[in-house]
Amino acid sequence: LYHKMQQSGVKSDKYVYVAVLQACTKTGDLTQGRLLHAEIMESGVTSDLVIGNALIDMYAKCGSLEEARKVFDKLSKRDVVSWGA
């Protein structure tokens, strides 16, 4: 569905990114999660706390604690969710 949306030219927003990251987390699809992270970086919404927390959660639950830590360290703000992810 996400790929069809992209092919149709629909722009993603932070809500779409978070939903797709949650799908990657649930399926354990680290490769797709990394690709989405790169797309998020290109879009410029990486400073969003909700997206940062979703990235941390995805990386941690997919077994890449080092990448989760890198995202955590780059967050300009952290909340309870950030610390718990």
Side-chain angles (χ1 to χ4, degrees), residues 3 18 31 33 37 41-42 49 57 59 63 77-78:
H3 293 295
V18 169
T31 301
H37 187 182
M41 300 274 289
E42 288 177 18
L49 183 60
D57 188 55
Y59 280 127
K77 288 185 194 177
R78 296 180 184 106

Side-chain angles (χ1 to χ4, degrees), residues 8-80:
S8 298
V10 176
K11 287 273 190 184
S12 298
D13 61 15
K14 73 178 190 175
Y15 304 104
V16 172
Y17 288 135
V18 169
V20 178
L21 284 168
Q22 288 173 339
C24 292
T25 301
K26 288 180 183 176
T27 60
D29 193 345
L30 183 58
T31 301
Q32 187 61 43
R34 285 178 175 142
L35 291 172
L36 185 60
H37 187 182
E39 186 178 320
I40 291 168
M41 300 274 289
E42 288 177 18
S43 76
V45 294
T46 53
S47 62
D48 185 87
L49 183 60
V50 175
I51 290 177
N53 289 340
L55 283 165
I56 293 167
D57 188 55
M58 184 273 300
Y59 280 127
K61 288 181 178 171
C62 288
S64 183
L65 296 179
E66 185 176 319
E67 288 174 285
R69 180 59 192 250
K70 285 179 184 177
V71 173
F72 179 83
D73 288 342
K74 289 181 182 179
L75 288 178
S76 57
K77 288 185 194 177
R78 296 180 184 106
D79 63 3
V80 174

